[in-house]
Amino acid sequence: MITSKLPNVGITIFTQMSQLAAQTGAINLSQGFPDFDGPQALRDAVGRHIASGHNQYSPMTGLPVLRQQIAAKIARSYGAHVDADSEVTVTPGATQAIFCAIQAVIHGGDEVIVFDPAYDSYEPSVELAGGRCVHVQLGLKDFSIDFQKLAEAITPRTRMIILNTPHNPSGALISRAELDQLAALIRDRDIYVISDEVYEHLVFDGVPHVSVLAHEELYQRAFVVSSFGKTYHVTGWKTGYVVAPPALSAELRKVHQYVSFCGVTPLQYALADYMAEHPEHVEELPGFYQAKRDLFCDLLAPSRFSFSRVAGTYFQLVDYSQIRPDLNDVEMALWMTREHGVASIPISVFYQTPPVGQRLVRLCFAKREETLREAAAKLCVI
């Protein structure tokens, strides 16, 4: 008999809904990946590096040339200066970076605060480290941090707080004032921070992304996680990185080297080339995705869904209270997929205790214009 280390974990909702979309022929707006490809020059660079023989192990911490490009991008984007050798680690995906950061510092009996709705990989990673997640619910309307609830959740066992900004699934952003408030709250405590910033360049309406990298006090106790997959439209490459002060990076690397040792070599070379040749890509990304958000929201305006345009990410929450209030969000997502041909993600799966009466599903707008138009047409007749 197997005694599971994760007895409450099954197949993720993302896999379930993508499988159902494939089975029913529905438009898949559930799982967060584009239905268009990454830049041609980036894809060409992979083939070039494979052909030129860059097919063996890269250094455990990532190719030096890529880590240097990451440090240069951080300096341009946030005015923060990090050491490419001692503070930047390339990983096979952001999820693995988060896992390694948690394993590096969480011990048996430690508590980790997560904010609900929370991305689903956080809690299993904490449990595998022997820790326990303490769930603090974000505001029901604006998904902001309730600092009174946060203060009450902190105990002598609290060892980490996990932030996510821009926030999946809501698209909410954390402000500089909120980071200051968090810093003051944990200033005299032995608490680490993971800042999951994989959607850092998908922030709209001229609002800048507020990164923990640019918060000198918080950064000293933080692991900041980013994703090339999200930034360059290549989620299947599963390549990301984590930036942390030297002492924390050293601990993270102890774990990383025994999880995967290194990332995929030709992908790293290609990313380094593209970052050097096209630094404008990250500057243009907010406008690129804002245009998709605005198109999708304009197309949904005649529908019976209610919503406010998201501030970040490539996900749009919609409220279906005026359509099928009799269905919970899981039932609604299944019904929409099977009966109306559009797959979504129910929000309750991101909560330990879902709010009573909440009627929200998440739709991904990282799609081609024709996909968004077809999906919106189906949604408008519900």
Side-chain angles (χ1 to χ4, degrees):
M1 294 293 292
I2 297 173
T3 301
S4 176
K5 296 184 75 173
L6 295 172
N8 299 318
V9 172
I11 298 173
T12 72
I13 189 66
F14 310 107
T15 299
Q16 293 177 49
M17 295 307 299
S18 286
Q19 287 178 346
L20 183 60
Q23 291 166 5
T24 60
I27 299 171
N28 189 359
L29 302 189
S30 59
Q31 197 168 1
F33 60 84
D35 68 347
F36 50 87
D37 230 330
Q40 184 68 50
L42 176 59
R43 291 181 281 131
D44 289 345
V46 178
R48 186 170 65 250
H49 284 290
I50 290 174
S52 64
H54 290 147
N55 300 303
Q56 307 309 323
Y57 295 127
S58 65
M60 181 267 287
T61 56
L63 290 175
V65 65
L66 179 56
R67 287 186 280 109
Q68 289 160 9
Q69 286 299 322
I70 292 168
K73 188 212 75 167
I74 290 170
R76 289 194 306 270
S77 297
Y78 308 121
H81 299 280
V82 300
D83 185 86
D85 292 329
S86 63
E87 297 180 74
V88 180
T89 306
V90 178
T91 62
T95 301
Q96 196 232 47
I98 292 167
F99 178 86
C100 290
I102 290 169
Q103 302 304 313
V105 298
I106 296 303
H107 297 262
D110 286 347
E111 294 177 352
V112 177
I113 293 176
V114 298
F115 295 102
D116 284 0
Y119 187 64
D120 67 345
S121 84
Y122 302 157
E123 188 154 23
S125 299
V126 170
E127 291 178 353
L128 289 171
R132 183 178 77 88
C133 276
V134 175
H135 295 257
V136 174
Q137 197 171 109
L138 295 172
L140 289 178
K141 292 185 177 181
D142 62 0
F143 296 92
S144 61
I145 296 172
D146 184 326
F147 279 91
Q148 181 62 40
K149 288 182 179 179
L150 174 58
E152 293 169 356
I154 293 175
T155 75
R157 288 186 176 273
T158 304
R159 199 63 57 230
M160 176 179 281
I161 296 171
I162 301 181
L163 304 176
N164 180 201
T165 181
H167 180 251
N168 177 15
S170 74
L173 309 176
I174 290 177
S175 68
R176 174 69 192 210
E178 287 173 310
L179 291 186
D180 290 343
Q181 198 168 350
L182 175 62
L185 182 62
I186 64 175
R187 184 168 293 144
D188 299 319
R189 294 181 166 98
D190 183 21
I191 295 175
Y192 301 102
V193 172
I194 288 180
S195 190
D196 178 355
E197 302 184 16
V198 298
Y199 298 100
E200 61 181 320
H201 299 298
L202 280 65
V203 180
F204 311 133
D205 303 311
V207 177
H209 169 59
V210 177
S211 176
V212 168
L213 289 167
H215 196 287
E216 186 174 348
E217 181 178 0
L218 279 179
Y219 176 66
Q220 296 309 311
R221 59 174 79 214
F223 301 89
V224 182
V225 177
S226 296
S227 166
F228 290 116
K230 302 297 190 297
T231 300
Y232 295 100
H233 322 308
V234 286
T235 60
W237 288 17
K238 289 303 294 178
T239 303
Y241 59 93
V242 57
V243 184
L248 290 183
S249 288
E251 293 303 311
L252 175 130
R253 290 168 177 179
K254 291 179 184 179
V255 178
H256 162 66
Q257 68 183 341
Y258 294 116
V259 174
S260 64
F261 183 75
C262 65
V264 180
T265 301
L267 300 186
Q268 293 187 56
Y269 273 110
L271 286 162
D273 285 354
Y274 192 79
M275 292 178 75
E277 295 165 8
H278 298 279
E280 76 282 357
H281 178 89
V282 296
E283 298 166 6
E284 295 170 353
L285 206 57
F288 175 81
Y289 272 115
Q290 183 173 332
K292 290 185 177 295
R293 180 203 67 175
D294 290 344
L295 171 65
F296 191 46
C297 289
D298 289 346
L299 292 169
L300 286 181
S303 76
R304 292 195 290 161
F305 292 98
S306 58
F307 56 88
S308 297
R309 298 181 188 221
V310 290
T313 77
Y314 48 47
F315 302 115
Q316 178 64 54
L317 293 186
V318 295
D319 188 309
Y320 63 88
S321 298
Q322 301 305 310
I323 302 173
R324 289 296 304 269
D326 57 310
L327 300 181
N328 65 38
D329 60 353
V330 175
E331 295 167 339
M332 182 66 175
L334 295 174
W335 180 73
M336 286 172 57
T337 305
R338 291 172 176 150
E339 302 300 325
H340 293 277
V342 179
S344 61
I345 292 292
I347 300 307
S348 62
V349 300
F350 295 97
Y351 285 90
Q352 180 184 54
T353 305
V356 175
Q358 189 180 70
R359 294 291 184 264
L360 296 172
V361 293
R362 192 196 78 176
L363 301 168
C364 176
F365 57 81
K367 307 297 176 182
R368 294 169 294 167
E369 180 176 335
E370 54 266 40
T371 304
L372 295 176
R373 289 188 180 278
E374 184 181 358
K378 292 176 178 290
L379 294 168
C380 283
V381 299
I382 297 178

